[in-house]
Amino acid sequence: MATKVYIVYYSMYGHVEKLAEEIKRGAASVEGVQAKLWQVPETLPNEVLGKMSAPPKSDVPIITPNELTEADGFIFGFPTRFGMMSAQFKAFLDATGGLWRTQQLAGKPAGIFYCTGSQGGGQETTALTAITQLVHHGIIFVPIGYTFGAGMFEMENVKGGSPYGAGTFAGDGSRQPTELELEQAFHQGKYIATITKKLKGAA
C-alpha cells in the first residue's frame, strides 16, 4: 500500500499555499508516496475577508479532523499571528479532541512550514509554539535540520525558513516565495515523505 502524506494548511493570501504546492511535489517525488493537499476550514465571514482584501480560496478540499487518521504522516502549514499559528489552524486542531482522546495520531510523523510578515516575525517561534499541539497527540515532530545544505546559509538575499521547516516572508503582501524558498519547500516535502515511508515500513 502507498504511503499517504497529507499537506494540511491555512492560507489567507496565498503565500502558504504556494509553499504547500511545492511541498506536495517534493513528497510525491518519493516512490510509493501519495501526497495530498488539504485546507482547514475558514473561520472568518466573507464580509470580513473582503475587507481584508483576501482573495477567494482555491478548490483544494477542506479537511475534517477524522480524515487525519487516513494519513501516515503530515506536513502542517500556516501563517503566523504574533509569532504563533493563525487562529484558523488552531481552531481546526481544537476540534481534534476525539482523536486526542483515543490517541489515533500517536506515532505519526509531522513537519511544519509557515509564512511571516517580516524577518523577526516568527520564523522560528511559529513552529516552536506549534510543537505543543503535536506533543499532546503523540505526533512525532520532524524538523528539516540543516539537511537543505548550502541553502540554509544564504546571506546575500532574504530567505525564509529555518531548521524547523520551510518558510517564506509576505512583507506587505506583495512579496512572493523566492526560488530558493520553493526549493527548500520541495526538499521538506521529499525529506518528510521519505521518513514517513521508512516509519510505515518498519511498523
Side-chain angles (χ1 to χ4, degrees):
M1 291 179 63
T3 299
K4 293 183 179 181
V5 175
Y6 282 2
I7 298 98
V8 184
Y9 67 92
Y10 173 76
S11 188
M12 179 174 282
Y13 295 107
H15 300 81
V16 172
E17 187 164 70
K18 285 191 176 180
L19 291 181
E21 291 167 350
E22 203 61 31
I23 285 171
K24 179 189 175 184
R25 278 191 275 272
S29 73
V30 178
E31 185 179 354
V33 170
Q34 288 182 356
K36 185 172 183 178
L37 291 175
W38 295 92
Q39 297 185 81
V40 301
E42 179 59 78
T43 59
L44 294 175
N46 288 332
E47 181 183 1
V48 174
L49 291 170
K51 290 180 179 179
M52 297 175 73
S53 300
K57 292 287 190 287
S58 70
D59 59 0
V60 169
I62 304 297
I63 195 169
T64 62
N66 285 339
E67 284 171 308
L68 291 174
T69 63
E70 303 167 358
D72 300 299
F74 315 100
I75 312 175
F76 297 129
F78 29 78
T80 190
R81 298 291 184 266
F82 303 115
M84 301 172 70
M85 70 171 64
S86 64
Q88 289 86 347
F89 208 94
K90 180 62 166 61
F92 171 72
L93 292 176
D94 285 349
T96 61
L99 301 179
W100 163 77
R101 202 158 37 245
T102 53
Q103 288 293 286
Q104 290 186 68
L105 305 181
K108 296 187 178 189
I112 294 172
F113 63 104
Y114 40 80
C115 174
T116 69
S118 64
Q119 293 185 68
Q123 288 283 312
E124 292 191 359
T125 62
T126 304
L128 181 61
T129 53
I131 292 172
T132 61
Q133 310 293 310
L134 308 185
V135 167
H136 284 261
H137 276 288
I139 295 172
I140 304 167
F141 173 55
V142 181
I144 61 171
Y146 284 82
T147 60
F148 186 48
M152 295 296 293
F153 299 92
E154 171 60 43
M155 299 296 287
E156 298 301 318
N157 299 294
V158 174
K159 178 195 152 292
S162 72
Y164 289 91
T168 189
F169 299 107
D172 62 1
S174 62
R175 185 186 186 275
Q176 295 299 313
T178 65
E179 183 177 345
L180 186 59
E181 289 170 343
L182 293 174
E183 288 175 5
Q184 186 175 38
F186 182 95
H187 169 76
Q188 182 177 23
K190 184 177 181 179
Y191 181 73
I192 292 180
T194 300
I195 290 176
T196 302
K197 182 179 177 181
K198 285 181 180 178
L199 286 174
K200 183 179 181 181

